[in-house]
Amino acid sequence: MDASEFKEYIFGMLFLKRASDVFEARRERIFHEQREVYGRTEAEARLRADRRANYADTFYVPTRARWPYIRDEMHDRVGDGLNKALGELEEYNPSLEGVLTHIDFNRQVGRTRLSDLKLRQLIQHFSRYRLRDEDFEFPDMLGSAYEYLIAQFADSAGKKGGEFYTPRDVVRLMVRLLKPQAAMRIYDPCVGSGGMLILSREYVAETGGDVRNLALYGQDANGGVWAICKMNMLLHGIPDADIQNDDTLLNPLHLEEGELMRFDRVITNPPFSQNYDRQGMKFPERFRHGFCPEKGKKADLMFLQHMLAVLRSGGMMATVMPHGVLFRGGAEQEIRASILGEDLLEAVIGLPPNLFYGTGIPACILVLRAPRAKPPQRQGKVLFINADAEYHAGRAQNLLRPEHIEKIVSTFEAFRDVERYARVVTLAELAENDYNLNIRRYADNAPPPEPHDVRAHLLGGIPKVEVEAQCPLLEAVGLNSTAVFAERDQDYLEFRPDITDRAQIKACIEADAGIQARAGQLRDAFAAWWEAQEQHLTALPGSNNLFEVRADLLASFEAALLPVGMLDRFQVAGVVASWWNAIQYDLKTLAAQGFYGLVDSWIASLRAAMEGEGKRNSDDPLEHPLVQYLLPEYLDKLAALEAAVADLKARIAEAEREPGEDEEGEEERPSANEIKALRRELHTRRNDLKTLQGELLARLDAARAAMEPDEAQALVLEIERERLAAELERYATAQRQKIIATVENWWDKYRVSLREIEAERETATVRLNGFAEELGYVR
C-alpha cells in the first residue's frame, strides 16, 4: 500500500493502543485503591474500576476496544473487530467524534483487502511495547514519536505530504517571527497535522510562558487530516485544542455569539493555488479588500483576507504564500493595493526553493498586522528579505538550518537594510511600482559579477584589490596572505615560488600558523565555556527547567565564542542550536530519568536497532558514541577479526584467479589443499566474528551494571561535549573551506597569464616545425 493510504491504519492503531494502556493503568490504580484502602471484595473493586465516571479526565475504553481483548480474542474477521473497537471508543468518548470511525480496516485496495494474517501481524507489532506514562523516557515522548511518524509519512507521500505537513524548520521560523505569548489565542485556519499550533505552544514554554492558559484553534477541510491533527493534539497532552473540520473559506466554524472569533496570532500554510466557490460562502464581509477570480486557481489572497479578518486588535499573522500573489495583476493587484493602503503588510520574506513537500513553486512568508497595530517606526514601510539563496541542500528537499532562521528573524527584528539581503521600502515606492511586490525588485541578492583584472590575465599576478576585498574572511580564519602569496609589485601579488600546483593550496592554508592559532583560540574558548556551563547539564536530572537551560546555554555560547571572530553570530547561534536540536530528546530523558536513565535509553535504542523488526535500521550500532567510549577493546578485537577475514578472502581470491599469459615465471601458486586450509581458516574466523558481534549487547549490559553514578555522569557529559565540539568543528571547517575555495579560484583565474600561454604556444610551434622538417614535410 502507498504510504498515504496506510498511514491512517498506523495512526489509528497507535492511538487505540495508547488509549487502552492509559485506561488499564487507571483501572489498575482504582482496583487496588478499592481493595486496599476501602477493603472491598475483588468483584466490587472490579465493578467500581469499570465505572465510566472514574475516567472523566481520560478516555473510557469499552471492553471490546481494550488491547488485551484485541490481542487475545480477535482472530477472525479482524478488520470488522478493529472497526468496531474504534467505533465503540468514539461512542463512549464524545470528544473523539469523527476522529476514528473514518479509518476502515476492511477498505478494499484494488481487488483485495488486508487479510486477517496481516492485521494480526500489525496487532502483534503494536503489542511489543506498553505505552503507559511510566514507560516513557520523558513525558512528551509519544507526542514526539507521533510528530516523527507524520514527518516520515509526509516524506513518503511526496506531493500528498504537503497536504498535512509543513517542514518544521519553516514552522519554527514563522513562530519566531510571531513570538506568541501566554494567554494568547493562536489560530491556524488550514491546520493540517497541527504542527504550527504545537510549535507555537513549545515556543511559549521555551520562553518561560505558562502554556496552561494558551488557547489553540484550528480548522481543516480534509476529514482525514483533521483526524490526524486531533490525535496529534491528544497525544501531545493538549485535549482542549479546538480543532474543527470544514472548508475555512466557505464555512469558518470558530465563532463567538454568532460572529467570527478573533485571535492574537494567526499562523498557517494554506493550500497553494486553489479554486474556490462564492456560492453559499458565510461571512463574505471578511473579504473587504476584494474577491479573487473563483477559477484560475487564485484563492491564495482569499485565505490571507480571512486571516486578517479574524485578527484581534493588535494581532499579528504570518502565512506561507506562492510568489504569484506578489505580482499578478487584475483583482489580486487591487487587493494588494487595498491591503497596502491600510498599511497592514509588514514584511515579505522570500524562502529558498524546494522546502515544501510536493511542490517546487517558489514560496514566501507574508507578515501582516491588524489595522493600526504596526509599531510607529515601521508604519508606512514594508521590509523585504530575500533569503532564497541561504539554505542547506538535503537529499530530497532543502532545509533551513538554525543560522538561516536566526538571520531572517534578527533582520526582521532590526527592520533595516542589509546589503544584498534585505531592504525597507516605503509605501510610496510600492505605489509607484503599481503595488508589485516582487522581492528581487527591492532586495536583489544576486552575487556581484566575478571580477577579472585584464592586466593580471595578460601579464600575471593576483590583484591586491581582490585580496583586500576578502580581508574579512581571511582575518576571520586567521590566515596571513604570506602563507600563499609573495609580493610582485605595488598593485599585485603572486603565488609563492614553492607553490607549483593547485593541489598544494589546501595544505599550505591548513598548515598556516595563523590558521592554527585561530583554531586553537576557538577550541580554548569552547573548552572554557563548557567547563563553566556543564553545571547546567549536571543539574538537569529531576528538574523541569529545560527551556531555561537552553536559553542560558545559547546566550552564553554566543558570548564566549563570538569574540574569537572566526564565526559570525548567526553561525555561532547555528552551532549550539543545531547541537541542541540533535540531542533534545537525550536532554529530556536526562531531566526525567537521570544519567543512568539516559545510558539505559541508549542501550535500549541499540537493542531495538539490532533485534526484531528494528534490525533493518541503517545506523551502525558500533558507531554509537556509547559503544565507542565503553567498549574500545571490544571494537579493537572486532576490527582485527574483520581485517583477518578480509585478508583471507583476498588471499583465496588471488589463489583461485586464473594466471595471465605474462605470469608464467611467477612463484608457485597455492595447491588445492592449501586453498582448502585457507577456506577452513576463513570459516573459523567468520564464526569468531559472528560470535563476537553477538556479544555487543551483553557487553554493554555488563559495562552498564558495573558503572558508578559519577562514571555515568562523566560518560554522558563527555559524549554530549564531543557532539557539540564536532558540530563546532564542522562550522569552522566550512569557514576555512571558503577561503581555500577563494584562493583556488584566484589560481584558476590568474596563475597562467596570456604572455605565458603565448610563450608555450611559440615553443610548441618551434617543436612542431622541427618534427615536420625531420619528416620531410617542410623544406
Side-chain angles (χ1 to χ4, degrees), residues 41 65 134 247 253 305 325 368 394 423 451 476 516 527 547 575 621 648 670 711 715 725 733-734 777:
T41 66
E134 60 266 29
D247 187 317
L253 294 176
Q305 289 188 80
V325 304
L368 299 95
R423 182 172 166 235
Q516 296 291 331
F547 295 130
V575 171
L648 285 167
E711 293 175 327
L715 172 69
T733 299
Y777 296 155

Side-chain angles (χ1 to χ4, degrees), residues 134-148:
E134 60 266 29
D135 298 321
F136 299 142
E137 295 167 7
F138 53 87
D140 191 34
M141 183 177 181
L142 195 62
S144 300
Y146 192 81
E147 278 279 302
Y148 170 82

Side-chain angles (χ1 to χ4, degrees), residues 86-122:
L86 294 175
E88 290 193 15
L89 186 59
E90 269 199 22
E91 180 183 342
Y92 279 82
N93 301 277
S95 65
L96 292 178
E97 182 180 358
V99 174
L100 302 172
T101 50
H102 74 284
I103 302 172
D104 181 7
F105 285 94
N106 280 328
R107 182 164 60 89
Q108 189 164 313
V109 179
R111 295 185 177 181
T112 62
R113 55 172 54 93
L114 287 175
S115 66
D116 283 350
L117 175 61
K118 281 290 182 185
L119 292 173
R120 284 295 306 167
Q121 289 174 343
L122 189 61

